[in-house]
């Protein structure tokens, strides 16, 4: 069995319960399109900003689709509890994609959250992104 076959078998065997009405939904609550053509950067960033602040929920659900992003997405914390215990979850890793259409060599996603989880989505750098996922605080910025 090849690596690709084993990855696909694992992804399809993973149990997924959700989405739940208590979760934020990227399309329903933030107007993201997810067609691979529309720029979904603003909708995604607004959803992440609300997620970090625990606005209404600590889970953001990303329905199946290709979400075109043109600038680095960030979760930024300015206080101790912000970004704590948050979850970003896609519907299916084979059909839920954040697709990079920004400048070459840039970072797609800067994840500054703790006791947190990202699951069930694919980051596609399109051969242009320098980094798909950077974990931790921005360089030179300490947490409060």
């Amino acid at each position: 069995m090849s690596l690709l076959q084993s990855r696909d078998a694992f992804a399809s065997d993973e149990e997924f319960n959700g989405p739940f009405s208590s979760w934020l939904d990227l399309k329903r609550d933030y107007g993201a399109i997810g067609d691979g053509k529309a720029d979904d950067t603003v909708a995604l960033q607004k959803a992440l900003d609300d997620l970090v602040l625990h606005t209404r929920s600590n889970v953001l659900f990303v329905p199946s689709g290709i979400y075109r992003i043109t600038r680095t997405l960030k979760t930024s914390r300015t206080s101790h509890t912000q970004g704590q215990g948050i979850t970003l979850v896609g519907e299916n890793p084979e059909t839920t994609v954040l697709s990079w259409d920004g400048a070459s060599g840039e970072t797609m996603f800067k994840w500054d959250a703790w006791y947190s989880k990202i699951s069930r989505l694919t980051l596609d750098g399109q051969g242009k992104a320098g980094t798909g996922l950077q974990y931790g605080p921005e360089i030179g910025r300490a947490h409060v």
Side-chain angles (χ1 to χ4, degrees):
M1 180 181 288
S2 75
L3 179 60
L4 183 58
Q5 289 170 323
S6 64
R7 181 190 63 92
D8 290 344
F10 176 76
S12 63
D13 290 343
E14 183 182 1
E15 182 179 358
F16 175 64
N17 295 312
F20 297 103
S21 59
S22 61
W23 293 0
L24 297 171
D25 183 296
L26 185 60
K27 286 185 176 180
R28 178 192 69 215
D29 298 322
Y30 296 94
I33 306 299
D35 66 357
K37 296 175 185 167
D39 187 347
D40 288 311
T41 307
V42 172
L44 273 157
Q45 188 59 63
K46 174 64 175 144
L48 291 168
D49 292 345
D50 286 352
L51 184 65
V52 167
L53 297 175
H54 303 119
T55 303
R56 299 187 342 240
S57 181
N58 65 342
V59 179
L60 173 60
F61 175 68
V62 183
S64 288
I66 299 173
Y67 299 88
R68 181 174 158 255
I69 56 174
T70 57
R71 290 184 318 278
T72 301
L73 299 171
K74 299 177 183 180
T75 57
S76 297
R77 299 190 300 128
T78 57
S79 71
H80 180 69
T81 58
Q82 290 178 350
Q84 180 181 10
I86 61 175
T87 299
L88 175 64
V89 61
E91 186 169 345
N92 182 315
E94 294 177 22
T95 60
T96 310
V97 178
L98 302 184
S99 180
W100 184 249
D101 197 19
S104 293
E106 294 292 319
T107 298
M108 291 177 64
F109 205 147
K110 294 182 179 181
W111 184 255
D112 181 13
W114 56 303
Y115 295 108
S116 63
K117 181 178 180 180
I118 299 174
S119 66
R120 302 185 57 79
L121 57 86
T122 297
L123 299 177
D124 183 356
Q126 297 291 322
K128 296 188 317 182
T131 302
L133 179 65
Q134 176 184 318
Y135 175 75
E138 291 187 50
I139 297 171
R141 184 174 63 83
H143 288 136
V144 178

